[in-house]
C-alpha cells in the first residue's frame, strides 16, 4: 500500500478495502456532523444538529439549572411517561383486549410470562408517579409564578397535559378486566352520562341528551362490554399517547421559545459569582451561535437579557436530565420489586365490588360524586379546569415571577389559605358524615336542589369567596390566585384522603378498614 | 403603493393583498370540507346496533316465592316480585352511577355511594337522582315476560 500515493492510482479492490476500513469513522461523520462536543461551537451544533436535542436551546441559564427552580419535576414526569411507553409496549405482546380473555392474559402476565409481573409493576408504578409529579409540577409552575407573560399559552398546554395524563390512567384501569376495573369504569361511564341528572331535572332529556351520547360514544354500547374494552384499549395505547406525545413536544418547544424557564429579573445578581467555566458569550466566545436571531422579527428570547449567566446545554443540562431519568427508573424499579400491582377476581357484572373504588387520585372526585353525580363528576371538575386555565389571564401582575411564592402576599397568603383550604372541607364533611344531608332531613326535596346545594358545591363556593376576599384584602390578583390554588390543592388532599382511607362498604365512613363489617 | 411610511428594515415584508375573494373562498371551502368530513367520521364510533343481550326475557317464578321476596333472574339486574295483586319487576341498577343495588327487607341498598331505596324504589337516602324504575311485565302462559326497555308507573302489576 505504501507504493500508492493518490487514490487514483489504487486498484478498485484496494479502494474497496480502504473504504471498508474507514467505514466506522466515515459513518460517524455522516451521522454526527460536528465531532466531539468539547468546544463552545461544537457543543452548540451538537444541540441544534440533533432532531431530539434541539428542543432545547443551545445554552441554558444557570437559574434554570438550580435544583430549587424546578425540582426536576417536569423531567421526572417525562421520564415516567417514557417508562410507561416502553413497559406498555412490552405488555402488549401478551395482552388481549376481549372480556374474560383480557383477565386471563393479565393472569398469564402476572404468573407465567417471564418478568411479566415485574414489567407490569413498573408500568403501574410509573403511571402513578406520573400522576403525582404532573400535579406537583403544576404546583411548582404555579408557586414560582412561571405562568405569566409570555408563558400563558404553555400553562394552557400544561392543563391539557394534566387532563390527558389522568385520562391515560383512567383508560388503563379498565384493561385488567377484574372487579376493580369493571366497577370503576361502570361508575366512570355513568359520570360521563350524568349531565342527564340536569336534563332530567329540567325535563329536557327527551329532546337533548348530551350525557347519553357521551356514554354511548365511550362504551359503544349500553353497558361495559367488549365494545367498551376495545375502545378503552384503543384510547389507552394509541390515541391518548399520541396526543400526549404531541402536546409534550409543543410544551417543550414553547419553553425554549418563551426564553427558557421563568426567572427573576435580578437572577444574574442573585446567582452571585459565576462558576469558572462560564463567560460572557457575546464578547469572548469563539463563535456566537445567535446569528439566526437577526432575521427573526419581533422579540427574540434573549433580547433585554444578557446571556452572561448561561452555560452550554451540552453537557450541563443534558447530564442533569439524564441523572433525573436514572433516578426515576431507580424509583420505579425499586417500587416494582417491593409491591405488586393488584389483580382482583374476574369482573362480575351482577355483583359490584364493595366498596368499588376508582384509582386513588380519583377518590376525591368519587367523594364529591357521592353527593351529586353531575356536580361532583362534571360540574366542579369543569369549573376547576377552567379556573386553572384562566389563572395566567386573570393574574397579570409582574412582581415575583420566577420566585417561590413570589408576588404580593406570598408565603403569608399560602399559609392562611392552607388553613382555610383544609378547614372548610373537613368541617363540611363532618356535618355530612355525622348528620347526613338535605335528603335525610327533608325527604321530599327535589333533585335539582340536591344537585346544586350539596357539600361539594358549598366547598367550591367557599373557596371562590375566600379568594375574592384575598384579592380585595391584598389588592392583588396574585394573592387571590395563591389563595385559590392553595385551597384547591388542600381540598384535593382532604377529599382524596377521606375517599381512600375512611370510606368502607356502602361508602359509609369508618375510622379504619379494621372496622369494616365482615361478610 | 402611495403611502410613504419609512421602512423599518429591508427584512420587512412587502404588503400582499391577501384578502382576495378567491383565496378566502378557497380557504372557506377547505375548512368546511374538513369540518363536515370530521362530523361524518363521528358517525362511525356511534353504534347503531347495541351489542348487549336482548332486553326482553322470560322468567319462571318459583312457587315458593313469598310476598315481598325478590327473585333475581340469572345474569339480570332486575328484581321480580309477586304479591296478591300480581307480578312486578324493579330494576336493580342504581340511578346514581349504575352499581347493582342489593335487595333487603327494607328495600334496596347501593354499595357504591350508599343510596337507599324503599321497597317500591323511591329514593330515601344518598345521591341517587331518580327512583328505581318499574319495568313492564306481561304474562305468557306460565312464564312472565320482563321488558327492560319499557318503564311503567310504579304500582303497575301484571296478573
Ligand atoms: C405530561 C405532563 C407534563 C410534562 C411532561 C411537562 C414537562 C415540563 C418540563 C420538562 C418543563 C421544564 C421545566 C421543569 O422541568 O419543570 C416544563 C415547564 C413548564 N410546565 Fe410542564 N409538563 C407537564 C404538565 C404541565 C402542567 C399540568 C402544567 C400547568 C398547568 C405545566 C406548566 C408548565 C409551565 C408554565 C412551564 C414553564 C415553567 C417555567 O418557565 O419556569 N406543565 N414542563
Ligand atoms: S351508584 Fe348507587 S349510590 Fe352511586
Amino acid at each position: 500500500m505504501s507504493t500508492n500515493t493518490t487514490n487514483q492510482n489504487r486498484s478498485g479492490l484496494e479502494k474497496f478495502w480502504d473504504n471498508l476500513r474507514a467505514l466506522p469513522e466515515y459513518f460517524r461523520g455522516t451521522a454526527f456532523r460536528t465531532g466531539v462536543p468539547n468546544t463552545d461551537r461544537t457543543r452548540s451544533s451538537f444541540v441544534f444538529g440533533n432532531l431530539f436535542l434541539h428542543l432545547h436551546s443551545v445554552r441554558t441559564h444557570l437559574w434554570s439549572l438550580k435544583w430549587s427552580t424546578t425540582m426536576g419535576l417536569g423531567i421526572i414526569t417525562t421520564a415516567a411517561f417514557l417508562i410507561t411507553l416502553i413497559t406498555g409496549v412490552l405488555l402488549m405482546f401478551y395482552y388481549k383486549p376481549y372480556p374474560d380473555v383480557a383477565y386471563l392474559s393479565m393472569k398469564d402476565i402476572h404468573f407465567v410470562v417471564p418478568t411479566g409481573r415485574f414489567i407490569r409493576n413498573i408500568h403501574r408504578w410509573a403511571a402513578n408517579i406520573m400522576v403525582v409529579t404532573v400535579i406537583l409540577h403544576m404546583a411548582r409552575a404555579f408557586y414560582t409564578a412561571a405562568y405569566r407573560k409570555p408563558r400563558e399559552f404553555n400553562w394552557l398546554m400544561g392543563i391539557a397535559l394534566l387532563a390527558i395524563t389522568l385520562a391515560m390512567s383512567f383508560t388503563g384501569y379498565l384493561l385488567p378486566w377484574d372487579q376493580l376495573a369493571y366497577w370503576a369504569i361502570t361508575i366512570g361511564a355513568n359520570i360521563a352520562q350524568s349531565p342527564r341528572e340536569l336534563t332530567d331535572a329540567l325535563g329536557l332529556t327527551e329532546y337533548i341528551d348530551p350525557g347519553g351520547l357521551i356514554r354511548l360514544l365511550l362504551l359503544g354500547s349500553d353497558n361495559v362490554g367488549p365494545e367498551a374494552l376495545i375502545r378503552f384499549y384503543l384510547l389507552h395505547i394509541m390515541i391518548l399517547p399520541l396526543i400526549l406525545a404531541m402536546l409534550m413536544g409543543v410544551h417543550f418547544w414553547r419553553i425554549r421559545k418563551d426564553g427558557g424557564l421563568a426567572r427573576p429579573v435580578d437572577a444574574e445578581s442573585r446567582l452571585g459569582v459565576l462558576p469558572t467555566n462560564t463567560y460572557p458569550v457575546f464578547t469572548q466566545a469563539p463563535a456566537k451561535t445567535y446569528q439566526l436571531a437577526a432575521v427573526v422579527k419581533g422579540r427574540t428570547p434573549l433580547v433585554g437579557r444578557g446571556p452572561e449567566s448561561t452555560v452550554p446545554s451540552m453537557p450541563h443540562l443534558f447530564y442533569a436530565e439524564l441523572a433525573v431519568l436514572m433516578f426515576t427508573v431507580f424509583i420505579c424499579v425499586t417500587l416494582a420489586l417491593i409491591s405488586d400491582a393488584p389483580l382482583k377476581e374476574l369482573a362480575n357484572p351482577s355483583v359490584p365490588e364493595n366498596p368499588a373504588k376508582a384509582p386513588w387520585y380519583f377518590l376525591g372526585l368519587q367523594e364529591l360524586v357521592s353527593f351529586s353525580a353531575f356536580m361532583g363528576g362534571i360540574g366542579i371538575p369543569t369549573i376547576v379546569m377552567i379556573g386553572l386555565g384562566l389563572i395566567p389571564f386573570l393574574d397579570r401582575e409582574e412582581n415575583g415571577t420566577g420566585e417561590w411564592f413570589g408576588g404580593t402576599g406570598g408565603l403569608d397568603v399560602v399559609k392562611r389559605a392552607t388553613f382555610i383550604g383544609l378547614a372548610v372541607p373537613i368541617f363540611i364533611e363532618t356535618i355530612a358524615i355525622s348528620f347526613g344531608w338535605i335528603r335525610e332531613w327533608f325527604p321530599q326535596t327535589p333533585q335539582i336542589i340536591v344537585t346544586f346545594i350539596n357539600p361539594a358545591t358549598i366547598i367550591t363556593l367557599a373557596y371562590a369567596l375566600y379568594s375574592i376576599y384575598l384579592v380585595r384584602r391584598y389588592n392583588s390578583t396574585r394573592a387571590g390566585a395563591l389563595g385559590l390554588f392553595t385551597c384547591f390543592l388542600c381540598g384535593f388532599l382532604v377529599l382524596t384522603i377521606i375517599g381512600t382511607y375512611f370510606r368502607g362498604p356502602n361508602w359509609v365512613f369508618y375510622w379504619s378498614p379494621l372496622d369494616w363489617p365482615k361478610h | 403603493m402611495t403611502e410613504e411610511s419609512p421602512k423599518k428594515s429591508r427584512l420587512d415584508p412587502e404588503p400582499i393583498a391577501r384578502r382576495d375573494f378567491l383565496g378566502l373562498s378557497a380557504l372557506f371551502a377547505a375548512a368546511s370540507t374538513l369540518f363536515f368530513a370530521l362530523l361524518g367520521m363521528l358517525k362511525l364510533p356511534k353504534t347503531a346496533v347495541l351489542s348487549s343481550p336482548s332486553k326482553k326475557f322470560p322468567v319462571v317464578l318459583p312457587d315458593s316465592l313469598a310476598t315481598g321476596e325478590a327473585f333475581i333472574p340469572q345474569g339480570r339486574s332486575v328484581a321480580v316480585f309477586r304479591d296478591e295483586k300480581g307480578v312486578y319487576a324493579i330494576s336493580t341498577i342504581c340511578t346514581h352511577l349504575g352499581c347493582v343495588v342489593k335487595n333487603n327487607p327494607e328495600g334496596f341498598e347501593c354499595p357504591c355511594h350508599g343510596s337507599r331505596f324503599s321497597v317500591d324504589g323511591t329514593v330515601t337516602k344518598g345521591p341517587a337522582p331518580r327512583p328505581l324504575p318499574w319495568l313492564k311485565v306481561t304474562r305468557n302462559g306460565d312464564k312472565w315476560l320482563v321488558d327492560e326497555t319499557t318503564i311503567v308507573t310504579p304500582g303497575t302489576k301484571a296478573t
Side-chain angles (χ1 to χ4, degrees):
Chain A
M1 276 202 260
S2 51
T3 50
N4 296 319
T5 45
T6 65
N7 215 19
Q8 275 78 23
N9 298 338
R10 295 170 72 81
S11 72
L13 209 55
E14 281 170 327
K15 275 194 252 171
F16 173 72
W17 176 240
D18 284 351
N19 289 353
L20 198 61
R21 279 199 315 173
L23 188 88
E25 181 85 6
Y26 193 77
F27 174 75
R28 220 179 51 217
T30 57
F32 307 99
R33 296 213 164 114
T34 50
V36 186
N38 51 9
T39 66
D40 234 28
R41 175 190 278 158
T42 47
R43 281 171 173 173
S44 299
S45 42
F46 182 80
V47 179
F48 67 67
N50 179 300
L51 172 66
F52 305 102
L53 295 182
H54 95 288
L55 278 174
H56 303 82
S57 64
V58 294
R59 295 182 72 87
T60 305
H61 199 282
L62 282 169
W63 188 270
S64 308
L65 288 174
K66 269 172 38 143
W67 131 261
S68 65
T69 306
T70 63
M71 301 183 167
L73 289 166
I75 299 294
I76 299 183
T77 317
T78 316
F81 176 64
L82 293 178
I83 295 171
T84 52
L85 215 60
I86 291 166
T87 49
V89 168
L90 286 172
L91 292 174
M92 281 172 66
F93 277 89
Y94 290 100
Y95 178 78
K96 305 173 194 69
Y98 194 80
D100 300 8
V101 182
Y103 180 73
L104 294 179
S105 64
M106 287 316 291
K107 275 208 147 158
D108 278 349
I109 289 172
H110 209 84
F111 294 109
V112 182
V113 174
T115 74
R117 184 188 318 191
F118 183 50
I119 295 292
R120 173 166 182 244
N121 291 349
I122 297 181
H123 191 72
R124 192 51 92 109
W125 276 113
N128 275 299
I129 286 177
M130 196 174 160
V131 172
V132 176
T133 52
V134 75
I135 294 172
L136 292 180
H137 167 66
M138 172 171 73
R140 106 75 194 149
F142 176 81
Y143 284 121
T144 55
Y147 52 80
R148 288 164 173 177
K149 198 178 170 187
R151 296 179 178 80
E152 304 94 331
F153 182 76
N154 220 13
W155 173 264
L156 288 182
M157 281 294 109
I159 302 282
L161 285 169
L162 173 71
I164 295 177
T165 305
L166 292 176
M168 287 278 303
S169 296
F170 181 65
T171 49
Y173 206 67
L174 175 64
L175 303 185
W177 202 255
D178 60 352
Q179 272 291 69
L180 215 55
Y182 184 88
W183 289 102
I185 302 309
T186 302
I187 293 178
N190 283 311
I191 289 179
Q193 191 187 36
S194 66
R196 252 192 204 174
E197 187 179 316
L198 203 63
T199 48
D200 269 346
L202 301 172
L204 290 175
T205 308
E206 268 180 75
Y207 312 106
I208 80 167
D209 182 16
L213 180 66
I214 303 173
R215 183 181 138 106
L216 185 63
L217 285 179
L218 201 58
L219 296 187
S221 176
D222 55 355
N223 58 6
V224 179
E227 299 297 332
L229 182 50
I230 200 98
R231 276 171 199 223
F232 275 60
Y233 181 66
L234 179 66
L235 283 169
H236 186 74
I237 61 136
M238 186 91 178
I239 299 179
L240 294 175
L242 276 182
I243 301 179
L244 194 65
M246 220 166 62
L247 290 184
M248 271 164 72
V250 177
H251 194 61
F252 301 157
W253 178 245
R254 274 310 275 248
I255 294 172
R256 193 189 147 174
K257 290 287 140 180
D258 294 342
L261 299 189
R263 57 179 175 273
V265 214
D266 55 348
E268 256 72 39
S269 56
R270 286 197 199 198
L271 282 167
V273 184
L274 295 184
T276 44
N277 56 351
T278 56
Y279 43 82
V281 217
F282 279 150
T283 52
Q284 287 174 25
K288 71 185 170 88
T289 57
Y290 293 97
Q291 273 125 346
L292 265 180
V295 296
V296 179
K297 246 191 100 187
R299 258 166 56 108
T300 58
L302 284 165
V303 166
R305 299 213 174 155
E308 278 72 14
S309 316
T310 60
V311 287
S313 298
M314 171 69 205
H316 297 277
L317 175 61
F318 297 153
Y319 282 18
E321 288 183 350
L322 196 64
V324 173
L325 172 74
M326 292 317 291
F327 172 73
T328 315
V329 171
F330 169 74
I331 296 288
C332 289
V333 169
T334 312
L335 288 171
L337 287 171
I338 295 174
S339 147
D340 278 349
L343 189 62
K344 296 250 173 161
E345 312 83 67
L346 175 65
N348 178 354
S350 37
V351 183
E353 180 79 0
N354 192 1
K357 290 198 179 186
W360 62 266
Y361 36 85
F362 283 130
L363 288 183
L365 268 189
Q366 202 168 335
E367 182 66 23
L368 294 187
V369 153
S370 75
F371 303 120
S372 154
F374 173 71
M375 277 326 262
I378 298 212
I380 291 172
T382 311
I383 294 174
V384 168
M385 281 303 198
I386 294 179
L388 288 177
L390 284 180
I391 286 177
F393 301 94
L394 297 186
D395 166 37
R396 297 201 227 142
E397 286 168 21
E398 277 173 9
N399 59 331
T401 299
E403 275 170 65
W404 273 93
F405 308 112
T408 313
L411 199 54
D412 188 37
V413 169
V414 175
K415 281 182 190 153
R416 286 156 186 267
T418 307
F419 177 73
I420 299 282
L422 294 176
V424 169
I426 292 178
F427 176 69
I428 304 272
E429 282 277 354
T430 310
I431 295 184
I433 289 167
S434 337
F435 306 110
W437 202 252
I438 303 182
R439 184 165 273 144
E440 280 91 296
W441 307 332
F442 313 103
Q444 299 307 319
T445 318
Q447 177 60 32
I448 193 94
I449 292 185
V450 181
T451 299
F452 284 105
I453 304 181
N454 61 50
T457 52
I458 291 181
I459 293 171
T460 315
L461 193 69
Y463 285 172
L465 291 178
Y466 179 62
S467 336
I468 293 174
Y469 159 77
L470 285 177
V471 172
R472 282 191 48 186
R473 162 155 184 196
Y474 287 84
N475 203 10
S476 148
T477 47
R478 171 67 173 166
L482 278 169
L484 193 61
F485 192 86
T486 308
C487 281
F488 155 74
L489 282 189
C490 293
F492 178 81
L493 199 70
V494 170
L495 295 171
T496 305
I497 289 178
I498 293 181
T500 309
Y501 294 108
F502 297 106
R503 291 295 188 178
N506 294 0
W507 211 248
V508 171
F509 182 88
Y510 290 97
W511 281 109
S512 137
L514 298 175
D515 305 337
W516 289 10
K518 305 271 178 296
H519 28 216
Chain B
M1 298 283 113
T2 47
E3 47 181 345
E4 276 302 323
S5 59
K7 279 210 156 172
K8 279 178 230 97
S9 133
R10 70 193 159 79
L11 294 167
D12 278 345
E14 294 291 335
I16 302 170
R18 256 180 209 285
R19 265 151 244 250
D20 56 313
F21 177 71
L22 276 180
L24 272 184
S25 36
L27 261 184
F28 179 75
S32 47
T33 309
L34 289 177
F35 176 74
F36 284 108
L38 271 179
L39 267 191
M41 277 188 246
L42 272 185
K43 276 194 84 88
L44 185 137
K46 184 170 180 297
T47 20
V49 180
L50 300 182
S51 61
S52 48
S54 165
K55 298 270 171 201
K56 289 182 194 157
F57 54 93
V59 181
V60 182
L61 292 179
D63 289 333
S64 59
L65 192 70
T67 300
E69 189 190 338
F71 175 75
I72 315 272
Q74 176 73 33
R76 301 280 171 177
S77 307
V78 171
V80 187
F81 299 90
R82 180 167 58 197
D83 63 14
E84 57 283 3
K85 296 214 196 75
V87 173
Y88 57 100
I90 298 180
S91 159
T92 56
I93 297 178
C94 182
T95 54
H96 180 229
L97 291 175
C99 288
V100 177
V101 297
K102 266 210 291 283
N103 176 258
N104 59 26
E106 290 95 63
F108 304 88
E109 181 179 51
C110 181
C112 289
H113 314 99
S115 284
R116 301 262 171 81
F117 305 86
S118 62
V119 278
D120 66 351
T122 324
V123 189
T124 54
K125 180 173 184 292
R130 276 169 287 121
L132 294 175
W134 286 48
L135 305 173
K136 185 172 173 192
V137 183
T138 41
R139 184 175 200 137
N140 184 1
D142 55 351
K143 289 190 187 132
W144 300 92
L145 270 182
V146 179
D147 178 0
E148 281 187 89
T149 56
T150 316
I151 293 169
V152 296
T153 39
T156 316
K157 292 173 188 175
T159 46

